[in-house]
Every structure is written in C-alpha cells, then in structure tokens.
Amino acid sequence: MPYQSSLNDHQFKVNHQRDRKAIENKRTGPIRLNHQKPEHGKKIALIGWNVSSIEAMEKLNRPFVIVSLPGFEDYAKQHNIPFVGWDFDTKLTYKQVYDRSKELYQTLKEFQCDHAIPAFEETVEWAGALNAYFRNDPKIFDHSILFRDKAMMKRRAHIGGLKVGVFEEVDNKEEVRRFFRRVNDMLLRSRDNNHDPIHVKALNKAGAAGHRMIRSEDDIDKKLSEDNFPCLIESHLDGVEISCEAFIFKGEVKFLNITEYVVFGYSMMVPPIPEIEKYRPLVRKEVEKLVDAFDIKYGIIHPEFFIADDEHLYFGEVAYRIPGGHIFELMQKSYNFNPFEAHILCCDPNTEEEELDKIFPDETSAKGYAGSFLVYPKKKYITDVNIPKELEEHPCFEKHTLFQPAVNKVQDLEGYGNHLGTIFFYGDDSEQVHQQLMNYVDHDFYV
Amino acid sequence: MALEVDTSKKAAFEQALEALETAFSYAKNMYQTDVYQTAARIMNEKDGMKFLYKYASRFDEAGIFEGRPWAEPSKLQPRLVKGSLMAGGMTSIVEVLSELRMVAIAKGNHTHEKVSKKDANEFLNKVMALNIDILFPEETEAARIEGKRKEKDRAEHLFQLLADELSLASISGTLIKEIDELVAQRPIMVDRIITMIKNAKQLLNVDINTKEQKAIKQYLDAITGPSRISKELTDLSDYRNKLKELDEKVLKEEAKAFAKSMLKTGLVAPQHVTLVRFLNVNKPKLLTEALGLNKKGEANLEEHFSIVSNLIKVAIHPPMRQSLYGLACMLERGVLSSNPVIPGLQRLIELDLLPEVRKVLLNSIKKGNEGITANDIMLAGVISVFGQPLGVGQGMNPTCQTARGISLWSLHDLGYLLELVARAARDGDIDIMFEGQPIHSMNLRDGLVDNLHEELDPVSLILVPHLDRIYGELVRRAEFRGDDVHKWVNPAFYGDWVSRGFSSTIDPLTGAIADYSGFVRLFYATHHPEYNNGHQIIYPNPVGIFVTDSLADLLGLHAVSIQRVDRDPDGKYRVYFYNPNNDSSQNWGQGIQPAVKGHGEEPGESSLPFHEFVSRLYAFHYNPYEQGDAYAVDNETVQEIEKIARNSWGQKYTWVDL
C-alpha cells in the first residue's frame, strides 16, 4: 500500500512544520528571572544561625533579622540580636516549605525585611521561598531548588554546556543495577568484569551525607537499603577534586577562590598547590559558564569540580551558601579579607560597587597557604584529646579546636558526619602545608 | 625589664586578645580559642607567665572567660584548681589565665565587683596551700615518669609567679588552719591530711614564723615519729629491735609520747603500732599509757583484756595504723560492755568473705600487704567506726544518707551494724523490712552511685554498695505519696529511733516554699530547749539542709544529722551536727560558716548558732509528744530567719503563704 504510506509521510511533514512554526516565536530554554532589587533600607533576613555572618552584618551596618531555631532565642535576646524563632522542619517537601514560608514571610514583613539570605544548605529553599514572596514571583523559589535537588542541578548544568557525568534518578535497587550495567556496557567494561564504579548520592543533602560508591553488583545489595531511595546515581568522574567559592555580583564573578580537597572529607587547602592553581583561568571560565547556566546574579556559589587528566573540568555539584570545612576561615587567613562580609555584600543587590572593590583582594596573590584538617572521632566513647607533639611543634601548625569532650558518647554519624574539632595549618610553603594535611588521617586524636 | 618571650608569639597573643576585646558579645566564643592557644604557647616560655600577667587586668573585660565555668570568679573553688590544671587541653589553659586574673585582683591591678582584693588573696593563698607540691616540685624520676609533663611544667611556672607576686609566709597559716580544722574532726580516713602535712614540710625551708614552724613540725612528727626513739628510727624493724633493748622506764616514755601525739592530732605514727604490738605481748601493763586511756578506757581494757589483746593482734597493723586511735576511742566509749559487740567482733575474725569483698578490702591498703588478710582490714575498719562514729565520711561519693546511717548505728546500735557488716561481707546481701515487705539489696540494681569511689573506710567499702541500693529502693517505693519521701524512708532506713513526726518546708505538690514561718516555729518548739519544754535530743535526727556556696547561692540538698542542741562556752545556743562530707571549711555565705572547733564541738561535730542552722534547714523529724510552744517564739527571730532564707537559697524557690 504505497499510497497510504506516502500520505502518512505527508501528514508528518505538515505537523512537524506546524510545530516548528509554533516554537519559532517562543523563547525556549531556561526562563530568566527578573532580579528586582529589594527596597533600599529594608532589612535582610539571615536564615540560619551563623555567628560570623551576624558579626559581618553588624560590622557592615546592614539592618538585619536572624531567623533560626527557637532554642537560640534567649541567647539572641541576651545579646540584643534581632531574632525570629522558626522551626525548620527538615522532613517537609519543597511544596510544603513554600506553603509554610508564607507565615514566616508575613512575620518578616512586619520586621521590615525585604530579602532573605540562607546560611546553611537546609535553609536554601526557605530563603528561596521567602524571596519568592518578597518579589512576588514563585519562580524564585523554584530557582532555589536548583541548588538543592541534585538531579535538577545536574540537568541544568548539562544544558548549560558544562560537562557532567551520566546520571539518573532511581527508586530502587533494580534501577541501580540497570544503570550500573548500562554505564559499564557503554564503557566496554562489562565483558571482563573490570567495572567502573558508580556513585549513589542523596538528592538533597550537603557534603558526603548519603554518598555510597558502588563498585560491583554485589555492592548494590550490600551497601544500599530502602532508606537510600529515591536517590541520584551517576557515573564516576576521575581527577583532582576542587571546590570553588565564587562571589557574584550583578552576574559577574568578583572573586574566585579555589580550594583543594587534599584528603577528601578530611582536609583542604586554600589556595591549592601550584599544579592546580595553574588551571585558574580554566576554572574561572567554567565557573562563569555555571553562573550563566544557573542564572545567578547575586550571592556566592560553592561548586565542586573534578579536573580530569585531559585538563577538562567536570561539574560535580553546586551549593548556594557558605561552604563548610572552615573554607571561609582559610580564605580569611590566606587572602586577608572577611569572606563573611563579602558574602553579605554580594547577596545584597543594593550594595555599591565601591564597597565591593574595597573588600576583595587579588585572587591570584594569596599571602600563604592555609589548610584545615577535620578531626572525627574514631570510636564510640572518648575521654581525652591526644595531639602528637610533632604536629603542634611543626612550623606550619596554627591552632586547633580540639577540646576535651564534654559529652563522651559520640553521636551517630552520617556521611563524614560532624567533625569534633579542626586543626589549622598555615605556611608559605604549599608542600609543607599539603604534607601536614595528609599526615594525620589515621591518627586517633581522641582516646 | 625585658622578658624572654618570642616576639612573634607575643604579637600573636596581643592580636588575639585585641580581636576578642573588640568582638561582639555573642561572638566572643569564636575568638576565645585564639587567645587560649596563643597564650598557651607563651606559657611554655621562660618569662611567659610574667608576660601574660601584664595583660591579666584586661581578661575579664575582654571576655576570655565568658560562657565558661570561670566566668564568675567569686564562684571558683580553690580545691578544684589542681584538677583543672592537670586536666590538659583548654581547661588547663583557661585555669591558668583565671589564676592570673585572680593575681591581678589580689594586687589591685584589676577590680571585680564581686571579688575583693582580700577575697582574691585568700583564694590564692588557699590554692597555694593546697598545692604545695606544685610550689616546691620534687625533681624525682617518678614525677617525670608519671606523665602530664606539659601540664606539670605549666602549673609550676604559674606557681612560680604566684610565689613571686604573693607572700609565701601567708600560706603557711592558711595551710595549718586547714590541717587544724580537718584534724579537729577526727576523720577515719586521713589520707588527705597526711598529704597536706607532707606538703607543709616544704614550708619549713621558707621564711615563716616560729609558731607556724612548730605547728608544722608537730604534725610531721605525729605521722613520722613523735617519740624520742622513733624520731631516730623510722624503719619499723629497726625500731622493733630497739624496743627489745629498752627498760620499762624508757618504754613508758615512748608510750606516753606516742599517746600524747595521737590524742592531740588523731594521727598515728607507724612506730606507735609497732610499740603497741610489742607491749601487747611483752608488757601489757603499759598498754594504758600507750593508748593514752582515761579511767573509763582503762577499766574497759582491764575488763576485756583478752579480746582487746586479740583485736590488737588481728587488726592493729602499720598499714591500718589509724585503727589504733579508733581502738583507744572505742575503749573510752566502753562499747565492749554492750552484749552483742564482743561475739559480733569475734565472728568477723573468721568470717568467710566473698571474693569481691576480699578484693576491695585488700585494694584499700596501698602498699604491700605484709601478710595482712581481708578479715584483718575489715576488723580494723569496724574498730575505727566504733571508736569514731562521727569520723565516718562519704568520701567522694554522693552517699551522705548511707554514711549517716553507719555513723548513727555505730553510736546507738552496734550489734545491728556488726550484723550488717557480716551479712554484706559473707552473703552479699542486706535485707530490711519496709511496711511489711522485705527488701533485699542483692535483688536491686541501681543506687545513687554508679562507680563507688573507693577512698573509703573498710566498713563503708563493705556496706555502702548495699545500703545505697536499699536507700534508692525505699525512695522509689515512697514516691508519689504526696509528701517528702524521707517521712517514710528515714525511719525505715535508719531505724525506729527516728521520730515519726516530719516537717518539710518544700510543698511536695508544688515545689514551693509554704508556710515557712510555721516550719521555723515548729523546729524551735521541738528542738530549742527554751521552747520545747527542755526535751533533749536522744538519738541523732536526720535532717535535710539547703547547701549554699559562699555567695549563699543554692548548691543542692544535703543530709546531715543533728547530734545535739546545747549552749556553747559563751552561753549561746548552737546546733551541733554531723556532716558526712567531713568538709570543715565550707562557707555557706551570709557569714554562715559551720565551725568544727572552738565552740564546744566534740570531734566530728560541726556547729552553727541555732538560728543560722535553721535558716538552711528544709526538713526534719520530731516527736509529736515532745512539742513545746510554737507561738512563744519571737516574731523578730522568725522574720530574721526568713529574711536570711529568702536572700539565699530562697531565691531559687517560689514562696507561698497558706
């Protein structure tokens, strides 16, 4: 029946042409937000308790309100910190967060607030929701979720032209197995059991929480349980891992810090060793691409990249908040400026350019190398601190925050968990600092 | 004067201190650690302490101590300083900085609204007096091997500064007063006293007055050898050999010298034991002299000589030498004439002990046990308790009720106490009846104390684990009855001599202070001889008190026993009471400070003027049939007491009038 088929063919062409016409006049791709400025003189709401940021607001003379757990209220009152108590229920869905925020928004409006800045990963969506109400644009909330939902995040990066691994969202072990096979098939690694690992990540947790590496099909059964789902799985990215702290104002990267993850989860250094520092122009280009792809105008982002052997940068993930691991303190030490103040300035669209110019140093001329080593307890019960003499006497040793534990029982940990203390190093010689950051991974600082 | 401190470290400290000074009040915490660490690095340098001291007047203002236990210097305890200094880490560092602040106050370089110059001086004198071993460090190998070198060095540097800035002469007075007051209480456990005396020896090389020198020497002799010959022969076997050569006259001199020292201090020298054991076999007639017995004691010794002689053979050994003092006191009390006592003691000599009891008793003798058995130790312990009922202490344990029980039974029911010891040591069980139901300690798990601190007398070591559990169980059973549990617990626990009448000023349902004036009047009407128709206290009355610190702030509830109410030598009524914590120097604030001597106290008694005691009281038992006229008590007296109460512990409570 040749006639019939040619008619079908024709039909398709007609339809297709119509579809193309229809979208010709429509702008596709990400919707750009209209970043209206908050009103001058209105207050900033910092969502989450962060003393350094509170201090920064006060030093910058920015009127502000802190929104945090009601438990902080007495302390805030005692020290005259403007405060609104709010219970952030971490079990809420994004939609529920949006709905609940309305009440908080109304309270904050009475406090003359016009803008919200998140202090922690878990408050990013709350700040997003509040800003959505402040600007009367729900899409601002959706935009904040880009920084929370790792699958959305990677899609957005991918479409923006960044290199990302292959990934999927999955609901059960079978889907993990299928993905594991497909990835390894594609890499031609299935036949001789020489598998590449894949990574399982929680959809919206900070740092390494919920992270599992799957190296074989056996691992899927051994390392995963129902609690892990739904989650994100992705192919393995190879290379040196770095994080960046990009301070953005009017969509422009004003200052780019590069942090080297010396021993993943344990130690980091600012700036990185020269072998990595030499990639700065490359990193900057990639970060600018990211800023563009995510339509970021104000604030700081904290993306993680892998620098592969072929000198390409692969995108890991990005957060819209102050980074953990004392990175800001390291920056403060090696660049001699206050990143907490810079953060507030960049978040506030009303900041004057001169203010910014004054605060940022030259990102390519750090004074020295600052490193932090996070100390985790290695056992369930701890009674005392054990710091090796040679560590404290090393010329690069700066200080530590290991104290005799007040509570002997260690809390259950997730991911790398909360560290109990930090050791800081600082020196002119990148290699020396670098070496110290690697030396004590196996040492037990608590007995 | 140029101080030898690394300039970069100096600059780092100055910078950190300035950063802290300029920090917002809520952010102090973030900057404190920098100050601590930069200070710590300076402390290790030669002139480090001096350098840091120059800044000490700025510490409070800067907020170095804010949010930490050192924030309020008026609440600091000299006794806890050493522990903090040796704790390591930040604790030690902050402790050092706190002492430097105190020096600044003492020298008038810094003023504090709650701590006067005088207070600071007293505090530091006490700190030094309590830690003479740090002030004059012994350069022994042992001290080095013990570890904590870093902390010890730091503490020594600090004390060097204290010695330079303050006068050493003034601490000897503090130390001697401290020892005097401890000794006056005649505690069974004397480890702490002995350590202090040994430390005081160091002060003999310092410029102190002769009176103090004499006092220190006397105490030193008491523990090392107060008699002519024992002063020369400190080795016990040398001393024993020498005894064989002595004629009766010299032996008598020795005996008298030992006895005199023992009665004066309550401390027993090791050679004293050697002498008594020697006399027991060779010259029993001289035992009266060697024990320093009065007529009553002498009569008791004669009447029960064979059992006493056996007790000396079994229980009086150098490691348990303090029991010699117990034996002397026991004989003077005449307790051997009480029927159950002799058979009860004899039973203990050969009692089969549980392995765990054996172990804990043998562990209580620190140095080599020289063939001493656990039974010997147990018996020595019983002798001490029988001789010094008010010398029983709770040690470092929160078991004041239990100590109070042991003390009470050794005063009034020795047969029962002997029974308890035998039951616990042999059967691992003690049982008592509560409202018709038996309670067995072996079936109970938790008491008040988790891990018994074992610096205790042998009787307490055996009994406290059982009594503590029973006490806990009694409290559990009496809970939720709508009144203070002690109303039922105390008579069941201590025995029927605890009166059934009971009054507490804390309303059990609301936790408020209710009808306080009525409470005060009732106590006067039942305890004050001028209002209670002259009834005397026959058995100790277990009462509850509010313990307050030197600022009169409430620390907690505590159990003591009223032993008697009597006129002191000045004719004023005082409450004489037994405090199981054996801590004489407690200052309860508002000028209320229990005395342990000087106001007619028996050894082991504390005393307070009647109204001051009442102002800290919260619950007591009374005999409803021995009640006098509550209305007769002066309104003014009651109001005065209420004022004291409200301004101290009362601030933590709601007050209601019924």
Side-chain angles (χ1 to χ4, degrees), chain A residues 275-418:
Chain A
E275 289 84 338
I276 296 177
E277 178 65 25
K278 72 173 187 217
Y279 294 120
R280 180 175 286 274
L282 210 61
V283 175
R284 204 168 217 286
K285 228 173 89 193
E286 214 59 19
V287 169
E288 280 162 358
K289 213 190 273 178
L290 188 67
V291 170
D292 199 38
F294 280 75
D295 186 18
I296 302 159
K297 289 287 182 292
Y298 300 101
I300 65 151
I301 54 166
H302 165 57
E304 290 173 356
F305 291 103
F306 294 85
I307 305 177
D309 292 345
D310 58 6
E311 306 201 340
H312 278 115
L313 255 65
Y314 285 85
F315 170 77
E317 57 186 71
V318 60
Y320 183 78
R321 58 166 163 88
I322 297 168
H326 307 281
I327 291 175
F328 265 20
E329 285 155 63
L330 301 184
M331 288 164 61
Q332 189 154 15
K333 185 84 191 170
S334 46
Y335 283 105
N336 197 23
F337 77 111
N338 187 331
F340 294 96
E341 290 177 22
H343 171 225
I344 304 292
L345 291 178
C346 284
C347 282
D348 180 1
N350 287 324
T351 300
E352 304 291 332
E353 290 275 355
E354 301 84 73
E355 268 185 290
L356 285 172
D357 293 342
K358 256 195 290 178
I359 197 163
F360 287 120
D362 176 4
E363 67 186 45
T364 59
S365 49
K367 289 189 303 153
Y369 293 86
S372 64
F373 182 92
L374 310 185
V375 175
Y376 304 95
K378 290 190 191 287
K379 39 176 99 66
K380 276 262 168 210
Y381 290 89
I382 51 180
T383 53
D384 205 354
V385 181
N386 166 30
I387 298 166
K389 212 172 164 199
E390 67 275 12
L391 186 158
E392 278 192 282
E393 284 169 4
H394 193 277
C396 291
F397 170 74
E398 193 205 347
K399 61 178 177 179
H400 70 73
T401 59
L402 304 181
F403 302 112
Q404 216 135 319
V407 180
N408 292 354
K409 189 173 186 302
V410 173
Q411 287 177 337
D412 289 330
L413 304 175
E414 198 190 8
Y416 277 82
N418 277 330

Side-chain angles (χ1 to χ4, degrees), chain A residues 107 143 292 368 444:
Chain A
T107 312
H143 184 251
D292 199 38
D444 198 345

Side-chain angles (χ1 to χ4, degrees), chain A residues 51-52 54-55 58-59 75 79 81 392 397-401 403-404, chain B residues 23-27 30-31 33-34 37 41 66 87-90 150:
Chain A
V51 172
S52 299
I54 302 174
E55 193 183 44
E58 209 152 333
K59 283 190 182 156
Y75 190 78
H79 295 279
I81 298 170
E392 278 192 282
F397 170 74
E398 193 205 347
K399 61 178 177 179
H400 70 73
T401 59
F403 302 112
Q404 216 135 319
Chain B
F24 294 108
S25 65
Y26 52 82
M30 280 194 326
Y31 297 90
T33 41
D34 279 357
Q37 298 211 343
R41 265 174 241 172
E66 207 165 291
M90 288 301 128
K150 195 167 69 182

Side-chain angles (χ1 to χ4, degrees), chain B residues 581-646:
Chain B
N581 77 2
N582 282 168
D583 195 350
S584 65
S585 51
Q586 282 181 336
N587 181 349
W588 293 356
Q590 296 172 315
I592 300 179
Q593 187 157 12
V596 295
K597 63 190 191 94
H599 302 86
E601 295 87 354
E602 300 282 328
E605 280 181 346
S606 302
S607 80
L608 278 177
F610 197 90
H611 74 282
E612 289 186 359
F613 184 85
V614 181
S615 77
R616 292 293 185 269
L617 188 68
Y618 86 87
F620 63 93
H621 292 268
Y622 64 94
N623 186 339
Y625 302 102
E626 296 180 352
Q627 204 169 322
D629 301 323
Y631 63 85
V633 186
D634 273 357
N635 270 338
E636 264 173 45
T637 311
V638 177
Q639 278 161 7
E640 170 65 19
I641 291 172
E642 178 162 340
K643 204 173 118 198
I644 300 175
R646 278 184 188 263

